[in-house]
């Protein structure tokens, strides 16, 4: 059994999926995951497909060094953005896996949202590149671990009428406290 960084609040109403040592850039995947947090599952699938088709953009906030500016990023109150295709494909596959896990558990897939998503750096792969004058430099890659939890939205519960009408004033409570009587 694999340990997740955060367990869902209600395990019966949620499903999990994860991928380890995925050969996809950590920084791009992190930026995509920030956008997907708390998004409904159907909307997240549609958003990722739009990013692959370059209809929407992924705003680059934390790892924005070298990212070009784009007008599409203004929808997210940012100026820099990219369309990381490979990261989106990996996340689409993970979302599809989480959705099928939810179906097996008997959850309503139309009511699911991404309650937790996390991207961690994995161990770097090391290769070598050959340079001029017989020198060799390292040629590393930055893979990542991805974990996500999808949950059903809780239905809001209405407050009973009896509790709503029995509010007591602060001054009355302070007076009872000074006199030492119980209510």
């Amino acid at each position: 059994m694999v340990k997740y960084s955060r367990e869902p609040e209600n395990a019966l109403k949620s499903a999990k999926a994860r991928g380890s040592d995925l050969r996809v850039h950590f920084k791009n995947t992190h930026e995509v995951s920030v956008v997907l947090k708390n998004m409904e599952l159907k909307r997240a699938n549609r958003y990722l497909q739009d990013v692959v088709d370059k209809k929407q953009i992924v705003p680059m906030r934390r790892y924005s060094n070298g990212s070009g500016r784009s007008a599409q990023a203004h929808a997210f109150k940012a100026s820099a953005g990219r369309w990381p295709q490979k990261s989106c494909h990996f996340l689409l596959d993970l979302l599809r896996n989480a959705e099928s896990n939810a179906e097996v558990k008997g959850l309503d897939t139309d009511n699911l949202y991404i309650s937790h998503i996390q991207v961690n750096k994995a161990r770097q792969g090391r290769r070598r590149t050959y340079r001029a004058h017989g020198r060799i430099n390292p040629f590393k890659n930055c893979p990542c671990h991805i974990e996500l939890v999808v949950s059903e939205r809780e239905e809001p519960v209405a407050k009973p009428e009896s509790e709503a009408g029995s509010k007591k004033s602060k001054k009355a409570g302070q007076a009872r406290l000074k006199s030492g009587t119980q209510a």
Side-chain angles (χ1 to χ4, degrees):
M1 184 103 173
V2 179
K3 186 171 186 208
Y4 283 72
S5 67
R6 178 182 296 172
E7 289 300 319
E9 291 178 17
N10 189 354
L12 299 175
K13 296 276 189 179
S14 59
K16 301 187 270 190
R18 73 178 285 142
S20 296
D21 293 308
L22 301 176
R23 292 286 301 266
V24 61
H25 290 298
F26 162 73
K27 291 182 179 182
N28 290 342
T29 311
H30 173 269
E31 295 290 357
V32 178
S33 71
V34 169
V35 177
L36 294 181
K37 177 92 168 118
N38 291 324
M39 196 180 277
E40 291 182 12
L41 189 64
K42 299 292 182 193
R43 185 169 170 233
N45 282 325
R46 193 168 53 244
Y47 171 75
L48 290 174
Q49 195 57 50
D50 283 349
V51 170
V52 170
D53 298 336
K54 293 194 174 184
K55 293 179 185 172
Q56 290 196 54
I57 199 166
V58 175
M60 295 291 170
R61 293 192 171 103
R62 182 169 183 178
Y63 301 109
S64 63
N65 201 6
S67 296
R69 293 179 294 185
S70 176
Q72 286 183 358
H74 293 305
F76 298 96
K77 296 189 170 105
S79 60
R82 284 184 174 165
W83 300 270
Q85 309 251 332
K86 193 172 178 183
S87 297
C88 290
H89 284 300
F90 272 84
L91 283 167
L92 276 168
D93 291 341
L94 269 176
L95 287 177
R96 193 175 308 120
N97 182 252
E99 186 176 13
S100 64
N101 291 345
E103 283 179 13
V104 168
K105 279 183 133 179
L107 301 178
D108 179 22
T109 57
D110 294 331
N111 201 19
L112 292 176
Y113 76 103
I114 301 170
S115 59
H116 168 70
I117 185 166
Q118 180 174 319
V119 180
N120 293 330
K121 287 184 181 180
R123 186 171 182 263
Q124 283 190 333
R126 292 184 63 96
R127 291 181 288 171
R128 53 171 53 176
T129 184
Y130 299 94
R131 308 307 296 263
H133 309 296
R135 291 175 299 136
I136 295 173
N137 281 0
F139 202 70
K140 299 178 183 179
N141 61 357
C142 299
C144 62
H145 309 303
I146 307 171
E147 66 180 42
L148 62 95
V149 176
V150 293
S151 304
E152 276 188 355
R153 290 237 185 248
E154 297 291 329
E155 294 296 324
V157 179
K159 193 171 185 178
E161 301 261 343
S162 62
E163 290 181 21
S166 66
K167 287 192 176 184
K168 297 178 180 161
S169 70
K170 189 173 180 181
K171 288 186 178 181
Q174 287 173 347
R176 276 196 317 274
L177 188 62
K178 282 184 179 177
S179 65
T181 59
Q182 294 287 330

